[in-house]
Amino acid sequence: MSERPAEPNESVCPYCGVGCGIKYDTDRGSAVGWKGPVNTKGELCPKGAAAWDVVEHEDRLTQPLVRVNGRLVEATWEEAFDIIEREFDHIVTEHGPDSVFFFTSSGCTNEENYLLQKTARKLGTNNIDNCARLCHSSTVAAMGNRFGAGAMTNSLEDLMEADVFLVTGANPAEQHPVIFRSYLLPALKSGTKMIHVDPRENATTKGADIHLPVKPGFDIPLLNAMAAVIVEEGLVDEAFVEERTTGFDELREYLADIDVDAEAARAGVDPEDLKAAARLYGEAGRAAIFTGMGMSQHHCGTDNVHTLINLPLLTGNVGKAGTGVNPLRGQNNVQGAGDVGGLPNVLPGYQDVTDEDARAAVAEVWGFEPPALPGLTEVEATHRFGDDVRAAYVFGENPIVGEPNANQVRKQFEKLDFCVVHDVFLTETAEYADVILPGSVWAEKSGTVTNTDRQVIRMRKNVDPPGNARPDLDILREFAARVTGMDAPETPEAVFDELCAAAPIYAGMSYEGIGTGSQRWPFSEGAAEGMAVLHTDTFGTGSKTAPLRVVEHVDPADQLEDGELVLTTGRVLQHFNTGALSRRSGVLMRMRGEDVLQIHPDDAAARGIEDGDEVHVENERGTVTVATEVTPAVRRGTVFMTFHYADPLVNQLTGDALDPTSKIPEYKHSAVRVTVSSEADD
Ligand SMILES: Nc1nc2c(c(=O)[nH]1)N[C@H]1C(S)=C(S)[C@@H](COP(=O)(O)OP(=O)(O)OC[C@H]3O[C@@H](n4cnc5c(=O)[nH]c(N)nc54)[C@H](O)[C@@H]3O)O[C@H]1N2
Ligand SMILES: Nc1nc2c(c(=O)[nH]1)N[C@H]1C(S)=C(S)[C@@H](COP(=O)(O)OP(=O)(O)OC[C@H]3O[C@@H](n4cnc5c(=O)[nH]c(N)nc54)[C@H](O)[C@@H]3O)O[C@H]1N2
Ligand code: SF4
Ligand SMILES: [Mo]
């Protein structure tokens, strides 16, 4: 890569939703931390420290590419946009605006996401979604419904005041490392207790006082049993229930019929451990919940979170410091991508597209009214490629690796009439593109991202994009002009100002106000820096009360047949999502090379598998071949792989049964057969 002079400027890590401040360091020639609003001592995890590797990587896209006779060839920006303009015009004229689908990016800025969703809506469609759909959409649906806001109820700072952490379906020691080390660990060291609900023992479990190794897909029986113990043993906060909830009598009646031992057995955990966990949570002065993908990524993900929400409502653990329900969000801007309207059902600031007043308010700012019909969600749209969906604009997402039932996803992408991929590397998804637009990474652009505890933080440019690559916002601006004639504001700051006018929760924020700190939403309602603890006097719904709810167990979509195991998937510290960025870092690859299948010693022995053996993992959707790690860390009957690699591509095995409310797929429970791969098959 040619020399590009760089200078240090405060930006934000391109990886997870913690939102650590990073910048270029002239002496080291790599990224270092600065004292940001979250990593207040400038601390970073290995991914943040390796973030410069992707800036300088020799595989970066530096020139637009267009497909000619099946092959990708270099083109000028003019040529690439001429093709895009022609094809969009043709497809929209022929099939209408709803024949186009936009993937917006949880790894890109608020300004970029805001502009792309506005462009989609100007074109006349709400078909825009981002991989928040695959992530916490079920959490957002349940919390939105019960509390009126699908975001962390508390701030990282005040959560350190908790007496007990209930961490379920999340592994913050690896997935949110700076939160774990700088917020959770100091609290644990000064006496906070931790319950960890996870089918595997992992780095988070090491800090736990109680580990409940739940059977994947059986969180509802576990949580109902915990609620039953809380009610039965008089641990309910009666004053809170009276004042701030509805539906207690019905829930109490339902829980009274629950056989706690039987439900613990159904969930695959020791009943005494479960009771101890319920007591620890129920007796705490302040108990805080952290929730992750183990809860959200099921075809009953919304119901899982509904069951979880009963616990803080029964015990008065919401609306004050050190409590609440706290989804640890995924990418550096997955919170913001939703906040600014990169979703098919809501406008900027979570205003419903079906709400006439909300559309009118946005029209005041935009000069046109957005369409009223909710659009398609991400996996729904992919399923319809080649049918009513004919074209896609894929901005900063890699669905060929990340979406479930990957063999089917490939077939669907092949059916598109026209596909634009706007990325920084030639990803597996880019292989299906007709036009590829070379964008910019974190260090090459300016804008804002919103982290997991609702803090809007600024990114500043450190270096120019390589070759003919362009800042993402410039590309999106030209795209908007070419396909809709829209004249978007020129600078990130001007786009942000427009966003703050369109999204009530961001009203009053400014670049100047954020500076090298942050502003937190909901901004207009709170103190100078925004409101840290939500739902203090009334819930986000506007009501003083939130409903308690009876939730029944839902069986996983895949039923197990004899000899089959449950495959659950997830993450490790050193890699990130589809690996598009992390696999390109030499440092991170040296820390963790190829993927492995974690399998319990008993399950391995029953199949004649020894540690390190290569195995086939298969079901009716696909087969992958992978080496094993035989370990008691994973529960009997369950195996675990990451999805950080395009090969082996684990999502060939995961199913696309969707949660009826949030449309999240069931990444955390697939039935598979595991067999030793003998030399004879090769
Ligand atoms: N290092 C690293 N950090 C990341 C990412 C990354 O790829 N790598 N990705 C980012 C993104 S996009 C996201 S969304 C977050 C996700 O962060 P997490 O939610 O922590 O991610 P996962 O590892 O997918 O799932 C968490 C845990 O759920 C457990 N689990 C599996 N099945 C079940 C179940 O049925 N019930 C319960 N209770 N637990 C279960 C798994 O064993 C796993 O340890 O991380 C973000 N941070
Ligand atoms: N089996 C299984 N599958 C899963 C999950 C699971 O737990 N198990 N988790 C799901 C979840 S929670 C998520 S969030 C998804 C993640 O799925 P994706 O969002 O598809 O994963 P990423 O690897 O984060 O992809 C980001 C893309 O954006 C590009 N990119 C990064 N930064 C920039 C930038 O600044 N500009 C531009 N233009 N492009 C950029 C990268 O090159 C990459 O192609 O995967 C889902 N898939
Ligand atoms: S904790 Fe997350 S935001 Fe912080 S350095 Fe690591 S990956 Fe980046
Ligand atoms: Mo995610």
Side-chain angles (χ1 to χ4, degrees):
M1 188 133 300
S2 59
E3 267 310 297
R4 288 184 287 151
E7 56 170 324
N9 262 323
E10 290 87 354
S11 186
V12 180
C13 175
Y15 290 107
C16 87
V18 175
C20 296
I22 64 169
K23 64 180 181 184
Y24 177 71
D25 181 280
T26 322
D27 297 333
R28 292 206 211 173
S30 67
V32 292
W34 53 276
K35 292 176 180 164
V38 186
N39 58 332
T40 53
K41 298 183 201 71
E43 66 274 35
L44 297 178
C45 84
K47 291 184 300 303
W52 196 260
D53 293 8
V54 297
V55 184
E56 293 206 312
H57 201 279
E58 59 183 14
D59 291 351
R60 284 288 303 279
L61 292 166
T62 55
Q63 189 71 31
L65 301 171
V66 299
R67 198 169 291 281
V68 178
N69 298 328
R71 294 190 41 189
L72 288 169
V73 297
E74 290 196 348
T76 63
W77 282 99
E78 191 66 18
E79 288 164 342
F81 272 121
D82 284 349
I83 297 172
I84 291 174
E85 190 178 334
R86 191 185 66 218
E87 292 298 319
F88 266 73
D89 183 52
H90 171 73
I91 290 168
V92 172
T93 308
E94 195 97 328
H95 305 284
D98 287 333
S99 65
V100 182
F101 184 79
F102 295 86
F103 291 82
T104 192
S105 180
S106 352
C108 289
T109 66
N110 285 322
E111 293 75 3
E112 290 153 4
N113 282 294
Y114 171 79
L115 183 54
L116 188 56
Q117 62 80 37
K118 184 181 169 192
T119 306
R121 287 166 168 145
K122 170 92 176 163
L123 195 67
T125 182
N126 283 315
N127 279 347
I128 181 153
D129 204 5
N130 72 83
C131 65
R133 183 67 46 203
L134 312 176
C135 196
H136 266 304
S137 59
S138 46
T139 319
V140 171
M143 291 183 68
N145 176 274
R146 304 274 287 285
F147 292 163
M152 276 178 65
T153 54
N154 287 61
S155 73
L156 294 168
E157 197 64 37
D158 79 73
L159 282 164
M160 294 172 78
E161 294 175 35
D163 302 308
V164 171
F165 295 138
L166 168 58
V167 181
T168 175
N171 176 14
E174 296 193 65
Q175 268 74 261
H176 300 87
V178 167
I179 290 182
F180 191 79
R181 292 196 72 84
S182 303
Y183 295 83
L184 271 65
L185 214 51
L188 294 175
K189 283 192 177 139
S190 59
T192 303
K193 301 284 185 223
M194 182 162 73
I195 305 159
H196 193 210
V197 187
D198 195 307
R200 298 180 308 134
E201 267 176 47
N202 49 44
T204 301
T205 325
K206 290 193 175 72
D209 298 276
I210 301 177
H211 177 214
L212 301 177
V214 65
K215 227 161 108 177
F218 287 80
D219 289 278
I220 295 175
L222 183 147
L223 293 164
N224 274 336
M226 280 180 70
V229 174
I230 286 169
V231 173
E232 202 175 294
E233 301 195 2
L235 303 175
V236 169
D237 180 337
E238 281 170 15
F240 185 90
V241 164
E242 173 67 28
E243 205 186 327
R244 301 289 313 269
T245 73
T246 56
F248 179 58
D249 290 341
E250 203 189 328
L251 180 65
R252 182 178 44 196
E253 238 170 72
Y254 175 76
L255 295 175
D257 287 339
I258 278 190
D259 175 342
V260 171
D261 288 4
E263 290 304 85
R266 183 142 78 131
V269 302
D270 180 333
E272 293 315 312
D273 288 349
L274 182 145
K275 288 175 202 165
R279 287 175 197 130
L280 194 58
Y281 180 88
E283 285 167 1
R286 292 167 192 270
I289 291 173
F290 293 94
T291 181
M293 300 296 99
M295 291 289 289
S296 64
Q297 291 177 330
H298 288 281
H299 80 140
C300 55
T302 306
D303 282 349
N304 280 347
V305 179
H306 273 305
T307 327
L308 184 66
I309 288 173
N310 286 339
L311 298 183
L313 289 179
L314 284 171
T315 55
N317 277 305
V318 64
K320 59 184 188 193
T323 68
V325 180
N326 298 283
L328 292 167
R329 299 304 304 257
Q331 290 103 329
N332 67 349
N333 198 33
V334 62
Q335 182 67 54
D339 294 351
V340 306
L343 297 170
N345 58 330
V346 289
L347 298 166
Y350 299 102
Q351 308 173 88
D352 213 303
V353 293
T354 59
D355 178 344
E356 210 173 312
D357 294 340
R359 288 200 310 279
V362 165
E364 285 278 304
V365 181
W366 289 357
F368 65 91
E369 181 141 331
L373 212 63
L376 294 170
T377 59
E378 159 157 4
V379 181
E380 281 179 314
T382 313
H383 285 179
R384 286 157 77 157
F385 283 1
D387 299 330
D388 48 337
V389 181
R390 320 292 299 199
Y393 189 100
V394 189
F395 174 46
E397 196 173 323
N398 192 11
I400 290 288
V401 178
E403 282 197 9
N405 199 0
N407 289 331
Q408 189 58 33
V409 174
R410 282 184 186 278
K411 287 188 196 140
Q412 298 299 137
F413 265 83
E414 273 166 13
K415 290 188 197 163
L416 281 174
D417 293 348
F418 187 63
C419 179
V420 180
V421 169
H422 170 175
D423 206 291
V424 293
F425 289 112
L426 193 66
T427 60
E428 293 74 18
T429 305
E431 290 166 23
Y432 293 81
D434 297 292
V435 176
I436 299 174
L437 303 177
S440 46
V441 294
W442 65 275
E444 297 156 357
K445 56 186 178 183
S446 301
T448 59
V449 291
T450 307
N451 86 331
T452 190
D453 72 338
R454 299 177 269 111
Q455 299 186 63
V456 182
I457 312 171
R458 279 176 64 182
M459 299 175 73
R460 294 170 183 80
K461 187 172 151 181
N462 286 245
V463 62
D464 286 329
N468 281 325
R470 284 168 60 181
D472 287 325
L473 193 67
D474 289 1
I475 299 171
L476 294 167
R477 220 179 151 266
E478 178 155 4
F479 173 70
R482 291 289 200 119
V483 301
T484 70
M486 193 203 306
D487 190 15
E490 275 190 33
T491 62
E493 184 168 10
V495 177
F496 187 76
D497 289 345
E498 187 187 304
L499 158 63
C500 295
I505 55 174
Y506 280 50
M509 291 185 188
S510 69
Y511 271 24
E512 201 190 337
I514 297 169
T516 51
S518 70
Q519 287 179 328
R520 175 180 274 127
W521 72 256
F523 189 69
S524 48
E525 298 168 28
E529 72 285 3
M531 202 185 280
V533 181
L534 301 182
H535 320 304
T536 44
D537 299 317
T538 53
F539 287 95
T541 48
S543 167
K544 192 159 176 56
T545 61
L548 287 156
R549 183 178 291 212
V550 170
V551 191
E552 303 270 3
H553 170 67
V554 180
D555 269 329
D558 272 14
Q559 296 296 311
L560 289 199
E561 295 187 2
D562 263 0
E564 288 187 335
L565 297 169
V566 173
L567 168 72
T568 194
T569 60
R571 297 159 163 83
V572 292
L573 170 68
Q574 303 82 357
H575 284 286
F576 194 74
N577 288 356
T578 72
L581 299 187
S582 62
R583 276 186 280 124
R584 289 187 167 87
S585 162
V587 175
L588 296 176
M589 281 305 285
R590 278 194 294 283
M591 289 175 76
R592 193 192 198 261
E594 296 311 311
D595 208 4
V596 290
L597 178 88
Q598 287 191 325
I599 184 167
H600 189 276
D602 294 351
D603 294 324
R607 289 163 182 78
I609 297 166
E610 291 185 15
D611 189 48
D613 277 356
E614 207 168 70
V615 291
H616 293 317
V617 188
E618 60 188 325
N619 59 20
E620 73 282 5
R621 293 181 285 267
T623 307
V624 304
T625 304
V626 62
T628 48
E629 181 198 344
V630 176
T631 166
V634 63
R635 58 172 291 134
R636 251 181 229 97
T638 298
V639 289
F640 174 86
M641 266 178 88
T642 81
F643 71 108
H644 300 311
Y645 302 80
D647 182 18
L649 179 56
V650 77
N651 275 326
Q652 291 182 71
L653 300 167
T654 53
D656 48 16
L658 303 181
D659 175 69
T661 310
S662 69
K663 315 288 182 188
I664 199 168
E666 187 147 74
Y667 289 119
K668 294 292 194 257
H669 185 287
S670 313
V672 293
R673 294 177 294 281
V674 180
T675 50
V676 177
S677 84
S678 63
E679 281 173 29
D681 349 286
D682 301 328

